[in-house]
Amino acid sequence: MAENESNQEEFTLQENRVFPPPAEFAAKAAISGMEAYEKLCAEAATDYEGFWARLARENIDWHKPFTSTLDESNAPFYKWFGDGQLNASYNCLDRNLANGNADKTAIIFEADDGAATRVTYRELHARVCKFANALKSRGIQKGDRVIIYMSMSIEGVTAMQACARIGATHSVVFGGFSAKSLQERIIDAGAVAVITADEQQRGGKSLPLKAIVDEALAMGGCDTIRDVIVYKRTGGNIAFQEGRDIWLHELVDGQSAECEPEWVDAEHPLFILYTSGSTGTPKGVQHSTGGFLLWAALTMKWTFDIKPDDVYWCTADIGWVTGHTYIAYGPTAVGATQIVFEGVPTYPHAGRFWETIAKHKVSIFYTAPTAIRSLIKASDVDEKVHPKNFDLSSLRLLGSVGEPINPEAWMWYYKNVGQARCPIVDTFWQTETGGHMITPLPGATPLVPGSCTLPLPGIMAAIVDEAGADVANGQGGILVVKRPWPSMIRTIWNNPDRFRTSYFPEELGGKYYLAGDGAVRNKDTGYFTITGRIDDVLNVSGHRMGTMEIESALVAHPMVAEAAVVGKPDETTGEAICAFVVLKQARPSGEDAKKLAAELRTWVAKEIGPIAKPKEIRFGDNLPKTRSGKIMRRLLRVLAKGENITQDVSTLENPAILEQLKETA
Ligand code: PRX
């Protein structure tokens, strides 16, 4: 209680605190001062297409220049730079060979066990070309979909770039997803190959990857898959299916280190990345090549103010969008040196991040609030892992992504990691947006803890009410983007109707992109604060999950009759999953309930992946429903928080049930 009170107090204090950009930082920044920011915004407001065309010409090498910038004729299926042609891998690699970066380190691979491997741009280029030729040797070609189910590795990034080089569309599936989740994605994408590793190495343990691919393919329905290409990471024992499975090293051996890039249209799908929505199965978010790459490169310059000498480290996994834009493509597109980290923040100790920053002299560090919160806790328990024990003098900029960062965590990050001299960019964006949308610019924007501040130039973000009308600053509403932007989602793979209805709802006029988040702008500054999802999407440790997916997994268990899942605030993970379950048999209690709850957790991990395991499971004879049978989720949210229900329950058919559902198994 005391802790909560002090947090509350700090929150109010910090809300008023403003941190202007350090003068020295601003002096050298790509966008220096608010006037420079406003100038760019004005340019976009005056000549929207001209603004984007200029940036696309300055930041991307086009094989065939575009003449059309934005085509809105088939809205909301927008086309950017439609008649231009390029290759993403050419822009990320060949360009660096030509501009003097050939011998610059592209990737420092920091393995789980602390071993570091470096590759230069020249070496990365050769590896990508060999990999690309290897894919071609298996008959993989432009337009084919390739699933990448790998952990963090140089090979993972190489696999993505190799697909891009030959015009194959990759779909990376996070290594923590289950065989079933993998199978669903393989089927939906109609993929021809899976690129995986024998095992992954995380936190001192070897975990299966290839075995999960085998399991997924054995579930059936994956008839489009011809090849399983396996990178040998640990040398662990795995099964090999003759004719289908092939070692990556054998496949690339003898391939040429030159591979002419496949020139593709700007709208050619660079990748599909599955993410959760409020209903149904995960959506295959389809991204373009030209617009996506433009924004990846440009936001590296604007938001991260990337400079030739920087050592940049984004701790995300390539299985999420952050690992696409800000590991595989953005840093390479601007010729940066980056760390690719295989491990976990707490192995061999919870000072691993700080130790690694010191070891490689990292200057830009980009991580998630969940990681920060768990490391705050860890250093409270063990002072040895506190950032103060490590030399963090190389840092000049910090970033945060994936979920709201609470002001307490922001202040700790600012003081202890950034030593009160590094700006923090709290970057709001989504899988669908392809890159940063609302974020401070480190050399321009005065920072306020807990606010992602202002939209990037050219991003027409606004807050509207349910009818699509603008709301005044200070009033909460729905976050929308009023104009299309180059790196936006192009469609949902296999489901254009769902794309239209999910993101461009008629109620808002059919023209505004609906982000799915609530937001409010500060009365005085106009700064945005994201208030959280307005749909049934949860954000647990920065991982996005649909409540319905977890509910479907639960009801697939033979003993479960009905389930409802809600989020509950959690100090470390932001939100935690709380499941209310009705069994086909009588409601269990005591040890029986505990045992069954444990079984259901394991079940969900198997169905979706360990990240979807409910933290709490509560059993009831029924769920709170209206007379028409609708589950009253708002009541479940209150119960999950452990609060008393003060809302109107007159429409509730079975009020007695509420008492039962207060108990956690
Ligand atoms: O709710 C917002 C939250 O994460 C959602 C997007 O999740 P995903 O597509 O997995 O992408 C995560 C990495 C970009 C958003 O709808 N979110 C992301 N960044 C922030 C955030 N919420 C508040 N502040 C942020 N900086």
Side-chain angles (χ1 to χ4, degrees):
M1 186 64 193
E3 196 182 86
N4 277 344
E5 274 170 10
S6 75
N7 280 349
Q8 200 56 45
E9 198 177 64
E10 223 184 337
F11 183 86
T12 7
L13 276 178
Q14 283 156 10
E15 282 275 330
N16 301 322
R17 245 187 265 192
V18 180
F19 298 84
E24 211 187 320
F25 194 111
K28 296 185 196 145
I31 299 183
S32 180
M34 285 309 271
E35 308 73 45
Y37 164 73
E38 278 151 16
K39 205 171 149 212
L40 283 164
C41 294
E43 184 189 343
T46 319
D47 176 9
Y48 196 64
E49 287 193 37
F51 168 78
W52 289 114
R54 173 178 74 77
L55 294 169
R57 288 191 188 105
E58 288 172 3
N59 288 279
I60 298 292
D61 281 9
W62 295 91
H63 179 67
K64 179 175 165 247
F66 59 89
T67 60
S68 144
T69 302
L70 169 63
D71 176 358
E72 302 187 71
S73 59
N74 190 25
F77 300 92
Y78 300 101
K79 286 199 178 101
W80 282 94
F81 321 118
D83 58 348
Q85 285 194 329
L86 75 163
N87 180 280
S89 150
Y90 177 88
N91 272 274
C92 297
L93 301 170
D94 305 53
R95 195 155 67 149
N96 284 305
L97 301 196
N99 68 8
N101 281 336
D103 295 315
K104 181 175 177 179
T105 301
I107 295 177
I108 304 170
F109 175 64
E110 168 80 14
D112 191 48
D113 67 2
T117 317
R118 288 167 178 263
V119 291
T120 62
Y121 273 97
R122 193 193 308 282
E123 287 159 350
L124 188 61
H125 176 267
R127 285 166 82 143
V128 168
C129 285
K130 283 184 159 209
F131 204 137
N133 284 326
L135 295 177
K136 284 209 262 188
S137 77
R138 303 300 296 180
I140 299 170
Q141 51 187 358
K142 180 177 167 184
D144 283 344
R145 273 83 57 212
V146 174
I147 297 280
I148 300 176
Y149 186 64
M150 285 176 106
S151 56
M152 290 296 288
S153 52
I154 298 173
E155 286 68 19
V157 174
T158 307
M160 294 163 81
Q161 287 276 351
C163 287
R165 193 153 192 100
I166 64 168
T169 299
H170 60 69
S171 185
V172 184
V173 177
F174 174 58
F177 276 120
S178 69
K180 184 150 181 282
S181 296
L182 178 60
Q183 179 225 22
E184 283 167 7
R185 285 158 175 75
I186 291 171
I187 296 175
D188 189 74
V192 299
V194 180
I195 304 172
T196 188
D198 51 357
E199 294 179 312
Q200 53 179 326
Q201 191 70 37
R202 279 168 70 80
K205 286 188 238 140
S206 301
L207 304 164
L209 279 175
K210 170 65 164 59
I212 297 173
V213 174
D214 291 342
E215 202 186 325
L217 297 180
M219 287 174 167
C222 304
D223 312 330
T224 50
I225 296 289
R226 300 191 302 257
D227 295 296
V228 176
I229 300 168
V230 189
Y231 161 54
K232 191 183 251 180
R233 170 63 186 97
T234 65
N237 223 348
I238 54 163
F240 239 68
Q241 186 176 311
E242 210 47 53
R244 185 197 72 185
D245 301 349
I246 179 155
W247 286 111
L248 176 65
H249 57 270
E250 288 176 8
L251 197 59
V252 295
D253 195 32
Q255 296 290 350
S256 160
E258 289 297 329
C259 175
E260 179 64 17
E262 181 77 37
W263 304 111
V264 299
D265 292 343
E267 283 298 321
H268 182 72
L270 179 62
F271 67 88
I272 303 167
L273 185 60
Y274 286 85
T275 192
S276 297
S278 43
T279 57
T281 49
K283 310 182 264 200
V285 172
Q286 179 181 320
H287 277 287
S288 71
T289 303
F292 172 81
L293 199 65
L294 166 62
W295 203 227
L298 196 56
T299 48
M300 284 301 299
K301 296 178 189 174
W302 283 358
T303 315
F304 293 131
D305 190 46
I306 194 88
K307 298 276 191 285
D309 292 339
D310 275 316
V311 177
Y312 162 94
W313 183 15
C314 165
T315 69
D317 191 285
I318 52 166
W320 309 112
V321 74
T322 310
H324 284 60
T325 318
Y326 298 110
I327 294 177
Y329 292 106
T332 49
V334 297
T337 295
Q338 69 170 322
I339 310 277
V340 167
F341 177 53
E342 180 179 43
V344 298
T346 48
Y347 177 82
H349 54 76
R352 180 73 187 267
F353 275 180
W354 325 132
E355 190 176 67
T356 306
I357 290 171
K359 178 176 167 189
H360 297 298
K361 302 205 169 16
V362 170
S363 55
I364 303 177
F365 181 65
Y366 190 35
T367 197
T370 291
I372 298 164
R373 286 190 297 259
S374 71
L375 298 178
I376 296 176
K377 265 196 182 166
S379 62
D380 282 348
V381 176
D382 176 6
E383 225 196 304
K384 289 201 293 300
V385 300
H386 192 280
K388 69 181 176 205
N389 301 309
F390 301 86
D391 177 8
L392 304 181
S393 57
S394 55
L395 285 173
R396 67 179 197 95
L397 174 61
L398 303 174
S400 170
V401 60
E403 44 178 328
I405 179 161
N406 46 312
E408 305 85 66
W410 195 101
M411 281 310 303
W412 187 92
Y413 195 31
Y414 185 74
K415 282 189 198 153
N416 297 295
V417 183
Q419 299 162 337
R421 56 178 178 76
C422 304
I424 299 181
V425 287
D426 173 4
T427 61
F428 167 82
W429 60 294
Q430 309 174 297
T431 305
E432 294 87 342
T433 67
H436 302 153
M437 297 296 278
I438 308 180
T439 173
L441 293 167
T445 322
L447 307 172
V448 171
S451 168
C452 52
T453 72
L454 296 167
L456 284 171
I459 300 299
M460 305 302 182
I463 302 180
V464 298
D465 64 18
E466 281 173 6
D470 286 328
V471 302
N473 285 359
Q475 243 180 298
I478 301 169
L479 180 65
V480 295
V481 187
K482 291 187 167 179
R483 297 282 280 134
W485 67 102
S487 68
M488 68 192 295
I489 173 176
R490 291 305 194 265
T491 186
I492 293 175
W493 183 259
N494 270 341
N495 209 338
D497 286 343
R498 192 172 171 201
F499 165 72
R500 189 195 287 273
T501 52
S502 307
Y503 300 111
F504 295 90
E506 283 307 321
E507 303 85 74
L508 300 182
K511 287 232 151 123
Y512 292 170
Y513 167 80
L514 175 71
D517 282 288
V520 59
R521 297 186 74 161
N522 182 282
K523 265 198 181 135
D524 307 318
T525 58
Y527 277 14
F528 286 72
T529 294
I530 306 297
T531 51
R533 298 286 307 193
I534 50 169
D535 52 11
D536 290 322
V537 168
L538 305 182
N539 193 328
V540 182
S541 300
H543 297 151
R544 181 166 154 183
M545 258 163 307
T547 50
M548 215 176 114
E549 275 172 78
I550 308 168
E551 288 163 8
S552 313
L554 284 166
V555 296
H557 188 279
M559 288 171 78
V560 175
E562 220 179 345
V565 166
V566 297
K568 123 178 203 177
D570 185 279
E571 260 192 21
T572 310
T573 58
E575 253 183 318
I577 301 168
C578 183
F580 296 86
V581 174
V582 181
L583 296 180
K584 288 175 186 161
Q585 64 192 52
R587 172 175 174 250
S589 58
E591 280 310 305
D592 287 348
K594 281 202 168 59
K595 232 175 98 194
L596 193 57
E599 185 180 323
L600 290 179
R601 272 192 205 103
T602 313
W603 174 269
V604 173
K606 198 91 191 107
E607 288 281 302
I608 305 175
I611 53 169
K613 272 189 194 177
K615 182 165 182 188
E616 269 185 32
I617 294 190
R618 303 186 187 186
F619 294 104
D621 291 323
N622 203 340
L623 296 172
K625 287 181 189 148
T626 59
R627 285 186 188 93
S628 58
K630 205 165 171 279
I631 298 171
M632 295 182 76
R633 282 168 186 281
R634 61 181 172 90
L635 298 183
L636 292 177
R637 280 191 207 106
V638 177
L639 288 175
K641 277 196 221 162
E643 289 171 2
N644 285 328
I645 293 188
T646 51
Q647 288 100 327
D648 176 22
V649 291
S650 54
T651 53
L652 184 63
E653 192 181 44
N654 48 355
I657 219 70
L658 298 177
E659 207 46 44
Q660 272 185 5
L661 295 173
K662 281 185 181 166
E663 255 175 68
T664 300

